[in-house]
Amino acid sequence: MLVDFNFRIIFEYLPLFLTGLKSTFLISVVSIILALITGIIACACRISGIKTIKYPAIAYIEIIRSTPLLVQIYFLYFGLPTLGLRVPEIQTGILALMLNSGAYIAEIIRAGINSVDEGQLEAGTSSGLNYFQKMRFIILPQALGVTIPPLLGQNIVLVKDSALLSLISVMELTRCGQTMTSERFMPSEAFFTVAFFYMCIYFCLKAVADWSQRKLIFREAY
Amino acid sequence: MMGFYFSRLVEIYPFFLKGLWMTSKIAFISLVSCTLIGFLLGIFRSSNSIVLKRIVGVYVAFVRGTPFVVQIFIIFFILPEWGLQLDAFPAALLAMAIMGSAFICEIVAGGIHSIHKGQWEAATASGLNLVQQLRLVIVPQAMKVILPPLVGQYVLLIKDTSVVSVIGVMELTRVGWVTVVRIPEGLMVFSLVGVLYFSISYPLILLSNYLERKMAV
Amino acid sequence: MIEFKNVNKWFGKLHVLNNIDLKIPKGEVLVICGPSGSGKSTLIRCINRLEKIQKGEIIVNKTPVHDKHTNLTKLRAQIGFVFQQFHLYPHMTVLQNVMLAPVNVKKIDKSDAEKIALKKLEKVGLTEKSHAYPAQLSGGQQQRVAIARGLAMSPEIMLFDEPTSALDPEMIGEVLDVMVNLVSEGMTMCVVTHEMGFAKKVADRVLFMDDGKIVETGTPDAFFDNPKTDRAAEFISKILTH
C-alpha cells in the first residue's frame, strides 16, 4: 500500500510536474487578470441605468452562474471550430476561465459597492459631487475593503478550476498526473503528488486571503 | 446544413433527457448525503474538543485545497489499489459526498459560530445538556444564517456533477461530449446542455437570493 | 448553603478571584458591588459553573460545584441565573422560553410545565405576554421574563448578574420590584448590582470587591453610610455622583 509508495518515480517525473505547475501558474495569472477586467466592465454595465447594456450584462452573469464551467469549456472548445476559428487549447481554456470568473467577480464587486452605506452617497450629493466623483472618492475606496477578500477567494477557485483544462488536453498540472498514470500506471504516486502541489498553492493563497480579511475587518470596526 | 443537424438533434433529444435524469439523480442523492454529513461535521467543527476540530479541519482543508477533478481521480483510480473497487456511479456519489460535505461543514460551523455566546450560557444555566442546547436553542437560530449560503452551495453541487463525466458516468455533460463526436455542432449541442442545466440551477439561484433577502430582515 | 473555600481563579496571568472565602446561608440576600474588573460577575458565575476555578472549593447545598463527578444538571436545576443581557431565546415565545428547561431537563409533562410557566409569569406580571416573542417586548419586560425563566425550575438559589445595567432608567424599577418580591418569599439571592436603593431595602449583607478580593462586607446601612475602607468609600462616592 503506502509502503510501496515509489518516490523514485516521482523524482523521475518531477520535471514534468514542474512544467505543469508553471503552466497552471501562468494560466491562472493571465486568467485572473483578464477576469478582473471582464468583471469590472460587466459590473459597470450591470449597475448602469442604460437598459441596452444592463440587460445583456445580467444575461451574461446569470448564464455563467447557472451552467457548469466544464460545459462552458466544452462549449468553446467544440463550438469555436464550427465558427471557423482555430484557437489553441490553452487560449480556449483561458477564455473560458476569463468569462467564468469574470461573471463571479462582477457580482463580488457589485456586492462591495452596495455594501457602502446609502448615507455616504447622500452626504456626497449634498456636497455637490457628481456621479463620477462620488464613485471615485466615496464609494470605491470603501467598497475596496469589502471586495478584496472575496476576490482573493475567487482567485483560489480559479486555480482549482484550471484543473478542468486538463480535459481539453492543456498540459497543466492535472494533465501531468494523467500522463504519468497512463505511462506508468501508478495513479497513487501521480495524483497524490498533484494533490500535494495544489495544496501548497492553496495554503499560500489562503494565507494571503486570511491576512487581507484580518487587516480589512480591523479597519471596518468603528 | 443547420436544418440537417437540427433534425438529428431532435432525434437524440431523449438521450439528453436521460442524461438530465442521471444528473438529477446524482444531484439529489448528493444534496441529501452532503447535508447530513455536512451538518454533523459542522457541529464537530464548532465543538470545544480541539482534537475533533483539528481532524475535521484537516479533512476540510484537503477538500477545499484540491480541485474536484483530482479528488475524483483519486477515488476512482487510487482506491482500487487499496482494495476498494468502485463502479463509476458509486464512485461519483462518494466523491460528491466527500466534497460537498466539507463545504457544508464550513457553512454550518459559520452559522453556529454566529450565535451569541450568551445563548449558550443561558441554555447551560438552565441545565440543558449539549445535545439539547444544539437541538433546541443553537441550531434553530443558526439556520437563519445557514440557509441562504446552503442553498447557494446546492447550486454549486448541481454544477459540480458535470465533472463526474470524466469517469464515464452518463450524465448530462457526458451526453453532450459523446454527442458532439457524432454531430460536430459544438455550439448547438452544448447550448442545449447549458439550457438544461440552467433549467435546474436558475430556480435554486432565485430561491437563494430570496432567502438572503428574507433572512436579512 | 453556598460556601467558597479559598477560591482562586486566573484568566491567563490575571488573578480574577483572589483567595475568596465566603459563606452564604439559606435565605440570605447578598449584594455584591465593586468597580468593573473586580471579579464580582466571575464570582457568581462560578457558583453554577459557567466559569471554572483553578484552586479552592465551592460547595452548594453540600454538593461540590467544581468536582468531576458532580451531576451538573441536578446542580443547575437548583440555581436560577439572570444575565445582564437577558439572553432570552429569540426564536421562541415568552411561554416557550420559560417552559424549555422544565420540559427538557426535569422531563415534566408539557401541560404541567405550561401551568408552572404561567404561574411564574404571573409572579413577574407578564402573563398577558406569554405568546409574544422577545423582540416584541421592552427591555424591562424581557428581563422580567428572564427572571421567570430562572424561576421555572423552582430553584433554591437565584443569581443575578447586573440585572438592570442594560436597561433604560425608567424600566429599572419594574425589575427591582420583582426581585424585592422574591426576597419576601425567602429566596436565597446573590445580586451583582450598583442599585444602592435595592441593597438598602432588602439586602442582608453587602460585599465590596476590588481586584479579585473581598475588600469589605457589612450590612447595607453600615456599608453605604460608613464604609470602613478607603477604596469602598471612593467607590461609593463615584456611584453616588450619578
Side-chain angles (χ1 to χ4, degrees):
Chain A
M1 264 215 313
L2 270 169
V3 193
D4 311 328
F5 206 75
N6 198 334
F7 282 100
R8 225 171 19 91
I9 293 279
I10 296 178
F11 278 119
E12 189 185 317
Y13 272 83
L14 205 56
L16 180 67
F17 282 126
L18 290 177
T19 313
L21 190 61
K22 206 174 73 162
S23 195
T24 293
F25 179 75
L26 268 162
I27 293 172
S28 304
V29 168
V30 173
S31 302
I32 197 78
I33 292 173
L34 291 175
L36 263 169
I37 299 171
T38 312
I40 291 172
I41 297 174
C43 182
C45 297
R46 171 86 177 76
I47 61 178
S48 92
I50 307 170
K51 291 205 181 131
T52 45
I53 57 172
K54 180 172 173 170
Y55 288 140
I58 295 179
Y60 157 64
I61 294 172
E62 295 306 318
I63 290 173
I64 295 285
R65 294 202 318 169
S66 309
T67 52
L69 172 59
L70 189 56
V71 172
Q72 294 161 17
I73 292 174
Y74 284 153
F75 179 80
L76 291 173
Y77 182 67
F78 292 112
L80 289 178
T82 66
L83 295 175
L85 295 163
R86 297 242 147 261
V87 185
E89 302 91 33
I90 202 169
Q91 291 176 23
T92 310
I94 291 177
L95 181 64
L97 289 176
M98 170 189 111
L99 290 173
N100 184 270
S101 279
Y104 287 100
I105 288 175
E107 286 296 279
I108 289 171
I109 297 176
R110 186 167 78 97
I113 291 177
N114 284 336
S115 76
V116 180
D117 196 47
E118 268 253 324
Q120 299 277 315
L121 269 175
E122 292 181 349
T125 314
S126 328
S127 307
L129 298 173
N130 68 32
Y131 180 76
F132 288 111
Q133 288 170 323
K134 279 183 282 186
M135 265 291 159
R136 187 170 150 221
F137 296 113
I138 302 174
I139 305 286
L140 288 178
Q142 294 186 61
L144 210 64
V146 182
T147 315
I148 288 183
L151 280 180
L152 291 173
Q154 185 61 34
N155 192 8
I156 294 176
V157 170
L158 186 131
V159 170
K160 290 194 289 172
D161 283 344
S162 71
L164 287 177
L165 298 193
S166 64
L167 303 175
I168 55 169
S169 318
V170 174
M171 192 46 84
E172 46 72 68
L173 185 57
T174 308
R175 186 101 186 134
C176 294
Q178 294 171 333
T179 306
M180 182 180 156
T181 304
S182 60
E183 284 181 6
R184 290 309 182 99
F185 223 67
M186 304 179 102
S188 296
E189 285 78 358
F191 288 118
F192 277 139
T193 310
V194 167
F196 172 75
F197 278 121
Y198 276 114
M199 294 220 57
C200 291
I201 301 174
Y202 171 69
F203 279 120
C204 294
L205 292 177
K206 186 156 194 302
V208 174
D210 287 343
W211 172 84
S212 83
Q213 185 114 11
R214 274 198 314 269
K215 276 219 107 185
L216 293 162
I217 286 187
F218 184 72
R219 209 191 292 171
E220 276 192 333
Y222 46 76
Chain B
M1 186 170 71
M2 287 282 260
F4 169 65
Y5 285 123
F6 191 63
S7 67
R8 291 286 295 278
L9 216 61
V10 165
E11 179 186 309
I12 61 165
Y13 193 61
F15 190 33
F16 276 73
L17 286 184
K18 266 214 186 128
L20 181 62
W21 173 238
M22 176 59 92
T23 292
S24 307
K25 264 199 294 191
I26 298 175
F28 182 74
I29 298 173
S30 301
L31 292 193
V32 171
S33 63
C34 293
T35 306
L36 291 173
I37 303 173
F39 261 87
L40 197 64
L41 290 178
I43 290 172
F44 287 161
R45 190 101 163 96
S46 322
S47 80
N48 284 321
S49 157
I50 296 186
V51 170
L52 215 53
K53 263 203 273 225
R54 285 269 167 83
I55 294 178
V56 177
V58 167
Y59 165 80
V60 169
F62 180 76
V63 170
R64 290 177 75 187
T66 53
F68 184 41
V69 70
V70 173
Q71 293 167 22
I72 292 179
F73 284 143
I74 290 178
I75 289 175
F76 194 61
F77 291 116
I78 297 182
L79 283 188
E81 291 199 340
W82 295 0
L84 187 64
Q85 184 92 16
L86 285 172
D87 284 339
F89 184 66
L93 291 179
L94 181 61
M96 291 286 304
I98 291 175
M99 189 264 295
S101 56
F103 284 96
I104 292 183
C105 163
E106 290 299 276
I107 293 174
V108 170
I112 292 178
H113 188 70
S114 74
I115 301 299
H116 195 282
K117 193 171 164 223
Q119 290 289 311
W120 288 94
E121 292 187 341
T124 311
S126 300
L128 297 167
N129 67 38
L130 184 63
V131 174
Q132 290 171 325
Q133 288 175 33
L134 281 168
R135 182 170 61 93
L136 298 163
V137 176
I138 302 295
V139 175
Q141 293 184 61
M143 285 310 289
K144 253 189 157 189
V145 180
I146 290 174
L147 216 51
L150 185 66
V151 177
Q153 186 62 44
Y154 286 163
V155 177
L156 293 176
L157 285 175
I158 292 175
K159 292 193 292 175
D160 283 332
T161 60
S162 64
V163 184
V164 307
S165 61
V166 310
I167 51 175
V169 180
M170 200 52 80
E171 45 70 68
L172 188 52
T173 306
R174 185 132 182 109
V175 165
W177 192 80
V178 164
T179 307
V180 85
V181 172
R182 286 175 49 209
I183 306 177
E185 269 300 320
L187 287 181
M188 189 156 284
V189 168
F190 284 104
S191 298
L192 180 58
V193 170
V195 164
L196 290 174
Y197 273 110
F198 188 88
S199 66
I200 48 178
S201 304
Y202 197 60
L204 271 181
I205 290 183
L206 290 177
L207 178 64
S208 173
N209 291 340
Y210 168 73
L211 284 173
E212 207 156 329
R213 275 195 310 268
K214 202 159 177 247
M215 300 300 181
V217 170
Chain C
M1 168 152 268
I2 304 176
E3 198 176 335
F4 280 66
K5 282 191 198 157
N6 196 30
V7 171
N8 278 280
K9 180 177 169 64
W10 286 267
F11 272 137
K13 288 209 187 121
L14 200 61
H15 201 171
V16 288
L17 291 178
N18 198 331
N19 292 323
I20 304 287
D21 285 292
L22 181 61
K23 278 206 183 85
I24 306 171
K26 189 173 155 86
E28 176 173 86
V29 176
L30 178 70
V31 163
I32 308 175
C33 63
S36 92
S38 55
K40 48 193 201 301
S41 289
T42 314
L43 188 138
I44 61 165
R45 285 160 67 94
C46 290
I47 297 178
N48 72 344
R49 212 161 134 178
L50 278 175
E51 304 276 0
K52 297 207 182 114
I53 59 176
Q54 279 92 30
K55 214 172 133 187
E57 257 195 303
I58 301 179
I59 304 180
V60 170
N61 257 353
K62 303 205 183 82
T63 315
V65 173
H66 294 268
D67 189 271
K68 268 194 296 206
H69 306 286
T70 308
N71 186 334
L72 279 177
T73 311
K74 240 178 89 190
L75 174 74
R76 286 174 175 148
Q78 300 170 28
I79 307 174
F81 199 101
V82 177
F83 297 86
Q84 181 178 353
Q85 308 280 16
F86 341 133
H87 294 315
L88 291 179
Y89 309 126
H91 57 302
M92 298 181 187
T93 62
V94 161
L95 189 64
Q96 289 166 339
N97 259 275
V98 181
M99 277 170 63
L100 184 69
V103 167
N104 289 285
V105 179
K106 273 193 175 164
K107 312 284 186 197
I108 296 175
D109 192 51
K110 263 208 173 131
S111 50
D112 291 330
E114 196 176 312
K115 291 198 197 101
I116 296 173
L118 284 169
K119 271 225 277 268
K120 306 295 177 185
L121 284 169
E122 195 184 346
K123 203 178 259 205
V124 304
L126 281 170
T127 32
E128 77 276 11
K129 296 279 184 192
S130 22
H131 295 288
Y133 283 88
Q136 299 168 303
L137 304 179
S138 74
Q141 290 170 328
Q142 288 188 54
Q143 192 63 303
R144 285 191 277 151
V145 172
I147 296 176
R149 182 177 64 173
L151 292 171
M153 303 278 267
S154 302
E156 301 177 30
I157 302 168
M158 281 290 280
L159 304 175
F160 294 83
D161 187 359
E162 302 210 40
T164 56
S165 297
L167 295 176
D168 289 336
E170 69 268 17
M171 296 191 237
I172 296 180
E174 67 193 65
V175 174
L176 291 179
D177 287 340
V178 168
M179 289 166 68
V180 168
N181 276 334
L182 281 180
V183 172
S184 62
E185 293 173 9
M187 174 73 76
T188 311
M189 284 164 56
C190 282
V191 184
V192 175
T193 186
H194 300 313
E195 295 293 324
M196 273 174 31
F198 170 79
K200 278 197 178 182
K201 195 165 172 187
V202 293
D204 297 311
R205 209 175 18 144
V206 173
L207 220 68
F208 175 69
M209 282 184 75
D210 192 15
D211 252 347
K213 296 199 193 78
I214 298 176
V215 172
E216 197 178 320
T217 80
T219 62
D221 288 321
F223 177 75
F224 286 113
D225 298 331
N226 267 322
K228 285 181 235 140
T229 58
D230 290 335
R231 269 137 101 200
E234 198 188 319
F235 176 73
I236 293 168
S237 72
K238 283 210 183 112
I239 58 176
L240 265 180
T241 53
H242 281 234

